[in-house]
Amino acid sequence: MGMAAQSAEVMRLRTQIGQMQRRTAHADALSVPEALAPLFPSGGLRPGAAYALADSPSLLFALAGRSSREGSWCAFIGMPDLSLEAAEGYGVAPGRVALIPAPGERWLQAVSSAAEVFPLVAVRPPRAASSAEAARLGARLRDRGCALLVVGPWEGAEASLSISDPAWGGIGRGHGLISSRAVTVASAGRGSPRPRRVRVLLPGPSGGAEAHGAGTVAGRPHLVAVGA
């Protein structure tokens, strides 16, 4: 898709979503799964803030799923291999998702335009943003009350989230169905003088993010995005 087509698509999405969802006030925080809420001082994603995420589709989908399920629109930018089927397993509503898969060097313009009308925008940048670019986009996010999830580092991020210590469940002696994956998710940033950590199932037996050690649900195989 050429630059002209990309620009036309962004404008079409702005018009479409602007007609369907008018935001007249900023929410205190966009909801995240209860298992991940302790990572955030406000209990969710703060409108106007950017968050730097580990390269984990599961974490990205989990953070977007709760607010999407509650009615918020979300834009995914620069993710041509994104699996909507996997995202849906974490609660992301396909009918409230806009995809701009390959904006190329116009990715910053695409994010800025999407921030005008979407409460939540996620992007995988093809390169690091400069300090000036990050500052300009940060001002747009604060003005519009949009939360930004960035796959990779981001200067001025409210918090950076990482994943460690994965352990798969449901596998017996060399066989069995994967029913869950336990990981430690840590959040460090200006809102948290000390890193916050939670041990969660991502995904849990019922799909989505669940607190580690919570009540069990009958296991089922999961569609887990590559690089989960």
Side-chain angles (χ1 to χ4, degrees):
M1 185 182 292
M3 287 188 179
Q6 291 281 355
S7 298
E9 177 66 6
V10 169
M11 292 302 297
R12 184 189 69 79
L13 289 169
R14 289 179 63 183
T15 301
Q16 177 185 349
I17 306 306
Q19 291 172 346
M20 298 180 69
Q21 176 173 297
R22 300 288 185 183
R23 286 182 287 151
T24 58
H26 298 170
D28 292 334
L30 291 176
S31 299
V32 298
E34 290 184 8
L36 298 176
L39 295 171
F40 306 93
S42 60
L45 302 173
R46 185 173 65 81
Y51 297 87
L53 308 185
D55 191 356
S56 166
S58 295
L59 179 59
L60 173 64
F61 295 155
L63 290 174
R66 179 77 177 270
S67 60
S68 175
R69 190 167 60 247
E70 292 178 353
S72 293
W73 279 76
C74 179
F76 290 95
I77 299 172
M79 305 179 195
D81 299 325
L82 181 144
S83 168
L84 278 179
E85 186 178 358
E88 189 175 6
Y90 286 87
V92 176
R96 287 190 288 274
V97 167
L99 301 177
I100 306 176
E105 283 303 309
R106 296 181 63 85
W107 65 276
L108 276 166
Q109 293 94 319
V111 173
S112 182
S113 296
E116 289 283 340
V117 290
F118 291 90
L120 182 62
V121 175
V123 62
R124 183 191 296 273
R127 61 170 177 81
S130 68
S131 298
E133 289 171 333
R136 284 195 297 270
L137 185 54
R140 174 60 59 88
L141 297 174
R142 291 188 294 273
D143 179 63
R144 302 305 298 168
C146 171
L148 177 66
L149 302 177
V150 182
V151 179
W154 187 260
E155 185 172 338
E158 178 82 0
S160 296
L161 278 71
S162 61
I163 285 183
S164 62
D165 304 324
W168 291 96
I171 301 176
R173 296 183 177 178
H175 67 279
L177 297 176
I178 293 174
S179 62
S180 64
R181 181 187 64 155
V183 296
T184 297
V185 184
S187 173
R190 47 190 171 188
S192 303
R194 295 183 179 179
R196 297 167 177 243
R197 292 183 175 85
V198 293
R199 187 70 175 169
V200 298
L201 299 178
L202 190 67
S206 62
E210 301 177 20
H212 187 251
T216 58
V217 179
R220 59 178 176 83
H222 288 280
L223 177 64
V224 180
V226 174

